[in-house]
Amino acid sequence: MKRTVFFLLIGIALIGAGCQGNTYSNLRNKEKKLIKNYISRNNLNILTEEPDEDYVWGEKDYYKVEGYDDLYFHLRHRGDSGEVVANDLIVTRYKKFELTEGADTLSYWTTLDQAHPYEFQYGNLSSCEAQGWHMAVKLMKNTNSECEVIVPSKLGFDAEQMSVTPYVYIMNIKVKQ
């Protein structure tokens, strides 16, 4: 009897420990907190409505993209008048870093960083699974635009989705002719 009770208690303890671990839900909650802390630490001004085309973006103005959890967009440079349309081949140079304090920046900004820029077909998630990038291109609207975007893991690349890691990307795009 004592042995049965002992194993029953051990089983309950193991189940309880497993439920307290790194479930996807717990990881997403940590991610949301990390994004919130990043916004607070950097004193970002969150806009809840998409600015119109004439809006002059302040250095700390970030639009919380409607319909997407924790996707924030900041336009750094409006670019040329050539509007990006579905199926355009987008050529991008970018920098990315985690939202933790003192995070390292991974740079793919120049040919010294990476010989060839990243290319993907706008609107085609099979050519670039990062839905946050497609939304950033949509909001940039024009070729030669530059933005900064906070991308939660579920809107990022597969590796980010698996590790539940949000990133900030600084992106510069061009349409390949």
Side-chain angles (χ1 to χ4, degrees):
M1 176 73 173
K2 287 182 183 179
R3 190 176 197 174
T4 304
V5 170
F6 174 74
F7 284 118
L8 182 61
L9 291 174
I10 292 292
I12 291 170
L14 288 174
I15 290 171
C19 292
Q20 298 300 320
N22 285 336
T23 64
Y24 181 72
S25 178
N26 288 343
L27 292 172
R28 283 284 293 140
N29 288 336
K30 287 179 184 178
E31 178 182 43
K32 286 178 178 288
K33 186 176 180 182
L34 182 62
I35 292 170
K36 186 177 179 180
N37 288 341
Y38 177 83
I39 290 168
S40 176
R41 188 172 64 247
N42 290 285
N43 298 313
L44 301 183
N45 176 39
I46 303 304
L47 309 171
T48 56
E49 293 183 17
E50 183 178 350
D52 62 25
E53 290 191 29
D54 297 328
Y55 183 76
V56 178
W57 289 77
E59 183 179 331
K60 302 224 180 233
D61 289 347
Y62 280 72
Y63 166 54
K64 184 177 188 315
V65 181
E66 188 176 341
Y68 295 86
D69 288 343
D70 297 319
L71 179 66
Y72 295 88
F73 174 84
H74 169 75
L75 187 64
R76 294 173 63 147
H77 177 69
R78 197 168 303 281
D80 300 336
S81 60
E83 192 166 332
V84 177
V85 296
N87 295 319
D88 276 348
L89 186 60
I90 303 298
V91 178
T92 187
R93 290 289 184 178
Y94 66 96
K95 297 177 187 179
K96 84 175 193 177
F97 55 91
E98 289 185 32
L99 280 64
T100 56
E101 289 186 72
D104 290 334
T105 299
L106 299 172
S107 182
Y108 305 96
W109 201 253
T110 69
T111 55
L112 294 175
D113 300 325
Q114 183 171 319
H116 302 286
Y118 186 80
E119 295 183 2
F120 66 98
Q121 193 174 22
Y122 172 57
N124 182 349
L125 291 175
S126 65
S127 72
C128 171
E129 70 274 10
Q131 191 174 2
W133 276 37
H134 290 272
M135 181 51 69
V137 170
K138 179 180 179 181
L139 293 167
M140 283 191 273
K141 297 179 179 148
N142 301 321
T143 190
N144 294 322
S145 293
E146 187 173 300
C147 78
E148 190 166 320
V149 62
I150 300 170
V151 179
S153 62
K154 69 180 189 176
L155 298 175
F157 291 93
D158 287 341
E160 296 154 8
Q161 293 174 23
M162 296 300 284
S163 65
V164 192
T165 306
Y167 283 96
V168 173
Y169 288 94
I170 299 170
M171 299 172 59
N172 180 297
I173 65 164
K174 296 183 186 322
V175 175
K176 189 172 186 178
Q177 302 299 327

